[in-house]
Amino acid sequence: MVSPEGRGDTGQSDWPQTRTGANPSREWSGGQHKATYFSRSPGAVHGARCQPTPRMAEAHQAVAFQFTVTPDGVDFQLSREALKHVYLSGINSWKKRLIRIKNGILRGVYPGSPTSWLVVIMATVGSSYCNVDISMGLVCHIQRCLPEGCGPYQTPQTRALLSMAIFSTGVWMTGIFFFRQTLKLLLSYHGWMFEMHGQTSHFTKVWAICVRLLSSRRPMLYSFQTSLPKLPVPSVPATIQRYLESVRPLLDNEEYYRMEMLAKEFQDKTAPRLQKYLVLKSWWATNYVSDWWEEYIYLRGRTPLVVNSNYYVMDFVLVKNTDVQAARLGNIVHAMIMYRRKLDREEIKPVMALGMVPMCSYQMERMFNTTRIPGKKTGLLLPLNERYGSAQHRAWLSANDPAPHTGQGRPRQRPGKAGSSWVIECAVGEPVPGWSRGKGGAPCCPALACPLASVADVLQHLSDSRHVAVYHKGRFFKVWLYEGSRLLKPRDLEMQFQRILDDPSLPQPGEERLAALTAGGRVEWAQARQAFFGSGKNKASLDAIERAAFFVALDEESHHYDPEDEASLSLYGKALLHGNCYNRWFDKSFTLISFKNGHVGLNTEHAWADAPIIGHLWEFVLGTDTFHLGYTEAGHCIGKSNSMLAPPQRLQWDIPDQCQAVIESSYQVAKALADDVELYCFQFLPFGKGLIKKCRTSPDAFVQIALQLAHFRDRGRFCLTYEASMTRMFREGRTETVRSCTSESTAFVQAMVEGTHMKAHLQNLFRKASEKHQNMYRLAMTGSGIDRHLFCLYVVSKYLGVSSPFLAEVLSEPWRLSTSQIAQFQIRMFDPDQYPNHLGPGGGFGPVADDGYGVSYMIAGENTIFFHVSSKFSSSETVCLFWIPGADLHDSSAMLWRQPAYKVEEDWHRC
């Protein structure tokens, strides 16, 4: 049986349930063989109906052509409607190709332009007519080198014009190269970041003028990519010095002395050889960190993505546009495809620091049409259920670990968990302590395997996708975004989503919890994918999901933020973070989640990009939805729907009992992770960045120091603290670590806790701690961080088979407090002063360490800050502020993290 796409059974019913698989149909009548073939073009294909009843008119439109074989010959009948859609799809495809070619040319000649090329040619030709040879004889030399011809256009005048055009093009291209290299040199200067506000030097002012002049022409999204400098490799002594400085407040004198000896041995013996290879890579590669970071920290991780990797983003919570779920989703999906169109055409302005320093935009390339495909294994891993403290694990480590831990406060944790260290058996038999990523890029979960091991997950990115995959009540649907070459209007999309909401059909066997495979272990998912989804309707339906622009989840429950209900925001965050563990496709670049009351949110896979990238999309989408698309008084999308559109296509599955057992196993693994997450989200109202800035203090430094104070009050000691910063001022830069627990911040915290110091002394300590933090953040942003350099040195050591106790110990240290500030107002879609309630609380992530906290925060306005604090119920070391059913929300024992929030205002007055 031949499918419309040339495969076998498509897995997607194109007829009512009574005729599933009848594609094409053959009908014998009077010795005549009649065959009907169906078009697969959007708008013409009518897969399984939401209502499984015959639709003859729709079936007739779906026919691309018919032919009847008779003794007299073959009679063809063509469908104009189907051919029209095929034609329009082809035209749309060629338009995209031409746009890409045009953008490639414009991007390739930036900061030049075709107009400037014509100006140079005209200047050269004009000077020739004025008998002025600005080429200093080069035009004549080019003319002599041109081949002789006998055609009518090989006149002396034609040869002279051709020579001048060649000379002008060379001058123009040389100028572009010169301007690009000059701009790259200018962008390599970062002294402006270290100057105090209002104390800009004359050199920096001249630098700013030059940068503005060279980038004054309206740039496209990727215009600056080739002008961005490469991420520099720090010197080993500088990195080790900064590392030792960062761990000094965490270690006693004996532990610190031991670490100093390990560091000195590494710096003198092992590091010089590793550094040479790393410098060589930095010369050859675009970025010496990013490819290894993506592969070893993200794609080689074998733990479930849910909680451990994926993060969530929230909707506006102080305003509400509509209560109609399908209408809100129609506007949001339409706005997302508008953003994708701008992305494809490179019409989005690049993000600029201070309005003139461009940020790298390469992470945006894989925002849509991207899926993470599971791989089998990266090496021989310790069992997931083996804790670090188990007798088997201790015996194995004592026999094999090249850097046994003797210092207090730095044990390894459970393998396969956030904040832990995998121990991976390499091909050469050497145990490799690994990393994994934390939210915002924090290393937490082990993924670094032997370089000889096989590659794990793969990011599959398509150049285009014309549909989205939708999940509702245990069923999967395919919804076309286009009718021919026309993007569906919000009202049409609302109608399509409403059809899904109104569909009474039941899930097929094994279909309801199918997405739990993406929430469980990666090895189990890879094996199931190969065994049960490699052919037939299962493969076709899985392709429809993995090749979708993104995934949409229509939830049956409602979530929102009620300031009077302290648990509402936390429950909203929990629903976005993991849902019920089978109503999100965690492998997609992002899942758009729609709740019954019209609120929406995102669950985002982390490997393809970092949080500011999805934040850029989300700001555009929410701004477009609210201020450009709008709703009717009844809450529906504006416009009139096209009732002739084919309904959404139900995906078909044939899931055997063995696969259903794997699905159930993955669900139980994911559910255990989700149930263990304790999440508390809240809005801090006493003050925001307005009051903080009046005191001439960085809001980020203020929050980080406050977190140190809160953690010390909670645990009675300090811990290694991670804050994510970005390195996007360099080409293909992603993140770097800021180690927020410093000697200056610990001195301030201890003085605050003692309560006997004068206000002037506290202010002085706070100022020193804030300035130290800001300086560390600037160093991280300008390529002088600690952790990415050490990570790459470690990777090189594994490739070379070199053992380093120093690196092994450094990379196994748990991040018990992992933090990240959420970017905002990257796009000025509206004036926040005019619309102060149009604020999103940002998003959050799961805890990075089993016995630690994950904290994200958004300094959302002049008078408010949103916090998302996560930990694990299973740990006796941490208590978050998540609502426990039956517990008194005002019980201080259930509000351990809330107490520091209340005390912040009191501490503010003291300091």
Side-chain angles (χ1 to χ4, degrees):
M1 181 168 58
V2 179
S3 74
E5 294 181 338
R7 294 194 295 260
D9 191 346
T10 64
Q12 302 156 4
S13 174
D14 287 321
W15 281 91
Q17 297 295 326
T18 56
R19 294 194 60 182
T20 299
N23 185 8
S25 63
R26 291 183 174 87
E27 301 175 4
W28 287 93
S29 177
Q32 297 181 353
H33 180 192
K34 182 178 180 181
T36 304
Y37 289 80
F38 301 97
S39 167
R40 188 57 96 172
S41 62
V45 176
H46 307 280
R49 309 300 175 201
C50 292
Q51 301 286 345
T53 58
R55 298 174 183 266
M56 297 308 297
E58 294 173 357
H60 178 72
Q61 289 181 357
V63 176
F65 66 89
Q66 297 178 338
F67 68 89
T68 305
V69 182
T70 66
D72 298 329
V74 179
D75 180 25
F76 282 95
Q77 297 180 9
L78 302 180
S79 168
R80 293 184 179 180
E81 185 66 22
L83 292 178
K84 174 185 175 183
H85 285 293
V86 172
Y87 169 76
L88 292 176
S89 296
I91 292 297
N92 188 55
S93 178
W94 275 106
K95 284 182 179 179
K96 287 188 174 182
R97 289 191 182 98
L98 293 176
I99 290 173
R100 290 193 183 104
I101 292 172
K102 182 198 74 172
N103 290 342
I105 294 173
L106 295 177
R107 185 192 333 120
V109 301
Y110 189 87
S113 66
T115 303
S116 64
W117 176 67
L118 291 176
V119 169
V120 175
I121 291 180
M122 292 174 62
T124 305
V125 173
S127 64
S128 175
Y129 279 105
C130 295
N131 295 322
V132 177
D133 186 8
I134 61 175
S135 70
M136 295 183 293
L138 286 177
V139 170
C140 295
H141 179 73
I142 295 172
Q143 188 171 356
R144 287 194 300 270
C145 293
L146 291 176
E148 296 288 341
C150 55
Y153 299 102
Q154 292 297 328
T155 62
Q157 293 81 3
T158 303
R159 292 170 63 83
L161 287 174
L162 182 59
S163 301
M164 286 185 280
I166 294 174
F167 168 77
S168 302
T169 302
V171 170
W172 179 67
M173 294 180 67
T174 302
I176 290 173
F177 177 80
F178 172 77
F179 281 122
R180 279 189 176 180
Q181 295 304 312
T182 303
L183 184 58
K184 180 180 290 188
L185 183 63
L186 290 171
L187 294 177
S188 300
Y189 169 72
H190 301 117
W192 58 274
M193 292 192 64
F194 296 88
E195 295 179 349
M196 298 297 293
H197 183 69
Q199 299 179 11
T200 307
S201 65
H202 293 295
F203 182 86
T204 298
K205 291 179 181 178
V206 173
W207 166 84
I209 293 172
C210 294
V211 170
R212 291 185 184 277
L213 287 175
L214 290 177
S215 58
S216 57
R217 196 173 72 82
R218 181 181 178 183
M220 302 175 68
L221 178 61
Y222 303 118
S223 293
F224 292 111
Q225 288 300 104
T226 56
S227 298
L228 293 174
K230 289 187 176 183
L231 183 68
V233 181
S235 67
V236 172
T239 297
I240 290 180
Q241 179 186 354
R242 284 191 287 267
Y243 169 76
L244 291 174
E245 186 180 339
S246 71
V247 298
R248 186 63 189 95
L250 305 175
L251 306 176
D252 59 29
N253 292 334
E254 182 180 347
E255 292 172 340
Y256 182 74
Y257 176 76
R258 185 182 67 85
M259 183 55 70
E260 269 191 322
M261 293 300 100
L262 287 176
K264 188 176 188 309
E265 180 186 11
F266 171 73
Q267 179 178 334
D268 295 339
K269 297 181 179 179
T270 310
R273 182 186 176 197
L274 305 181
Q275 181 78 350
K276 290 177 182 178
Y277 282 94
L278 200 56
V279 171
L280 180 62
K281 187 196 176 186
S282 72
W283 292 347
W284 177 258
T286 306
N287 188 294
Y288 80 92
V289 176
S290 294
D291 56 339
W292 285 347
W293 189 254
E294 179 177 301
E295 178 181 354
Y296 293 111
I297 303 305
Y298 296 98
L299 299 180
R300 290 204 179 198
R302 300 294 82 203
T303 53
L305 300 184
V306 61
V307 177
N308 290 325
S309 180
N310 287 27
Y311 57 93
Y312 65 87
V313 186
M314 288 184 171
D315 192 5
F316 287 149
V317 292
L318 302 181
V319 295
K320 192 172 185 180
N321 293 324
T322 179
D323 292 321
V324 182
Q325 183 179 14
R328 184 76 195 285
L329 199 54
N331 266 8
I332 294 292
V333 171
H334 183 82
M336 283 185 165
I337 302 305
M338 287 174 60
Y339 183 93
R340 188 181 69 167
R341 177 183 292 176
K342 288 178 173 289
L343 191 65
D344 291 341
R345 297 178 179 179
E346 302 183 29
E347 295 174 351
I348 298 173
K349 296 180 180 179
V351 177
M352 311 280 278
L354 299 181
M356 64 177 180
V357 180
M359 302 287 106
C360 181
S361 303
Y362 99 100
Q363 294 182 62
M364 292 183 172
E365 296 175 0
R366 297 180 293 182
M367 185 178 295
F368 295 93
N369 325 323
T370 299
T371 302
R372 180 168 171 169
I373 306 298
K376 279 193 173 181
K377 61 181 179 180
T378 59
L380 301 178
L381 310 181
L382 287 179
L384 289 175
N385 59 354
E386 288 294 335
R387 288 185 176 271
Y388 173 78
S390 67
Q392 176 186 355
H393 196 180
R394 287 199 306 269
W396 192 92
L397 286 177
S398 63
N400 296 279
D401 196 343
H405 294 271
T406 58
Q408 183 180 1
R410 303 164 57 149
R412 287 198 181 98
Q413 301 177 4
R414 181 168 65 172
K417 287 296 187 178
S420 66
S421 171
W422 278 102
V423 179
I424 302 177
E425 187 72 18
C426 296
V428 296
E430 178 189 6
V432 181
W435 281 15
S436 163
R437 53 151 312 271
K439 315 310 175 275
C444 65
C445 169
L448 185 54
C450 171
L452 301 178
S454 59
V455 176
D457 293 0
V458 175
L459 288 177
Q460 172 186 281
H461 174 68
L462 306 177
S463 60
D464 192 20
S465 177
R466 299 173 63 81
H467 72 277
V468 293
V470 181
Y471 179 90
H472 177 244
K473 283 188 175 180
R475 305 152 310 160
F476 291 88
F477 296 86
K478 181 178 182 179
V479 177
W480 291 107
L481 300 170
Y482 294 85
E483 183 186 18
S485 61
R486 181 184 67 85
L487 173 63
L488 293 184
K489 297 178 181 179
R491 191 70 178 89
D492 293 330
L493 289 168
E494 177 189 350
M495 178 186 68
Q496 298 292 67
F497 292 125
Q498 191 61 51
R499 285 175 170 177
I500 293 176
L501 292 171
D502 296 338
D503 180 12
S505 62
L506 299 176
Q508 301 163 75
E511 181 182 18
E512 182 178 11
R513 294 185 176 179
L514 176 63
L517 290 171
T518 68
R522 304 304 293 169
V523 175
E524 293 77 9
W525 172 208
Q527 292 171 344
R529 191 175 187 275
Q530 181 179 4
F532 305 111
F533 298 90
S535 61
K537 61 176 64 176
N538 287 351
K539 182 180 187 302
S541 295
L542 182 62
D543 282 347
I545 295 174
E546 293 182 339
R547 299 174 71 87
F550 51 89
F551 193 80
V552 179
L554 291 169
D555 282 14
E556 284 297 296
E557 56 187 21
S558 296
H559 285 287
H560 68 286
Y561 173 47
D562 181 3
E564 302 299 324
D565 182 3
E566 200 158 8
S568 60
L569 197 62
S570 302
L571 294 172
Y572 180 22
K574 286 272 287 184
L576 293 175
L577 180 62
H578 52 68
N580 59 17
C581 298
Y582 57 81
N583 58 355
R584 318 276 184 259
W585 198 269
F586 295 99
D587 284 353
K588 289 299 290 182
S589 55
F590 63 87
T591 295
L592 173 61
I593 302 160
S594 172
F595 297 106
K596 196 168 186 178
N597 59 350
H599 276 293
V600 293
L602 298 177
N603 182 285
T604 308
E605 201 277 321
H606 208 317
W608 62 275
D610 300 309
I613 304 302
I614 202 71
H616 194 278
L617 163 70
W618 200 231
E619 286 183 29
F620 176 89
V621 168
L622 294 183
T624 302
D625 167 48
T626 304
F627 299 101
H628 296 278
L629 297 178
Y631 299 88
T632 64
E633 292 183 359
H636 294 282
C637 296
I638 296 174
K640 185 177 180 181
S641 61
N642 179 11
S643 59
M644 299 302 294
L645 283 175
Q649 180 178 345
R650 177 77 183 274
L651 301 185
Q652 302 298 311
W653 307 92
D654 182 13
I655 301 176
D657 293 340
Q658 301 95 316
C659 183
Q660 294 184 37
V662 178
I663 293 172
E664 181 62 24
S665 175
S666 296
Y667 167 69
Q668 294 301 329
V669 170
K671 187 175 185 297
L673 281 172
D675 290 344
D676 196 26
V677 174
E678 189 176 11
L679 182 67
Y680 182 65
C681 308
F682 64 96
Q683 182 183 12
F684 181 80
L685 291 171
F687 55 85
K689 67 179 180 182
L691 183 58
I692 297 173
K693 284 187 173 182
K694 287 181 180 179
C695 299
R696 299 182 180 179
T697 300
S698 163
D700 179 70
F702 178 90
V703 173
Q704 286 293 324
I705 297 171
L707 290 174
Q708 290 296 319
L709 178 59
H711 185 272
F712 187 82
R713 282 178 169 154
D714 173 33
R715 303 292 299 120
R717 62 175 181 265
F718 299 103
C719 70
L720 192 63
T721 305
Y722 181 103
E723 182 187 7
S725 71
M726 63 90 180
T727 56
R728 289 174 60 201
M729 288 191 296
F730 302 97
R731 191 171 182 184
E732 296 189 9
R734 291 197 64 161
T735 60
E736 178 56 276
T737 304
V738 179
R739 295 181 169 228
S740 302
C741 184
T742 63
S743 298
E744 290 79 2
S745 64
T746 57
F748 168 77
V749 169
Q750 289 170 339
M752 286 291 294
V753 172
E754 290 173 6
T756 59
H757 296 265
M758 301 296 293
K759 180 180 293 188
H761 181 58
L762 291 174
Q763 289 176 344
N764 184 51
L765 291 175
F766 179 84
R767 189 176 299 108
K768 289 181 179 179
S770 177
E771 290 174 355
K772 176 65 175 181
H773 180 82
Q774 291 180 70
N775 186 64
M776 292 178 58
Y777 203 99
R778 291 161 181 156
L779 287 172
M781 288 183 64
T782 54
S784 297
I786 301 170
D787 292 272
R788 299 303 179 269
H789 186 203
L790 294 178
F791 162 74
C792 290
L793 289 174
Y794 182 77
V795 175
V796 173
S797 74
K798 294 300 107 183
Y799 274 101
L800 298 178
V802 176
S803 176
S804 170
F806 171 74
L807 289 177
E809 183 151 349
V810 168
L811 301 192
S812 63
E813 294 168 338
W815 302 92
R816 290 194 173 89
L817 182 56
S818 181
T819 68
S820 179
Q821 181 184 180
I822 305 164
Q824 61 172 333
F825 299 132
Q826 300 180 77
I827 309 177
R828 300 293 292 187
M829 295 293 294
F830 60 92
D831 184 359
D833 295 329
Q834 186 177 356
Y835 301 96
N837 289 330
H838 287 71
L839 295 175
F845 48 84
V848 169
D850 283 347
D851 58 349
Y853 294 101
V855 182
S856 68
Y857 53 93
M858 173 176 277
I859 305 173
E862 297 298 313
N863 302 303
T864 187
I865 305 174
F866 285 97
F867 286 90
H868 307 252
V869 185
S870 64
S871 64
K872 293 197 174 182
F873 285 111
S874 59
S875 173
S876 60
E877 302 293 318
T878 57
V879 179
C880 225
L881 282 179
F882 185 64
W883 172 69
I884 302 174
D888 182 2
L889 288 178
H890 299 285
D891 181 5
S892 60
S893 64
M895 296 290 178
L896 186 57
W897 263 80
R898 181 173 137 194
Q899 181 184 359
Y902 283 164
K903 287 182 70 63
V904 166
E905 188 173 13
E906 174 188 338
D907 294 335
W908 173 268
H909 293 297
R910 286 181 56 202
C911 185

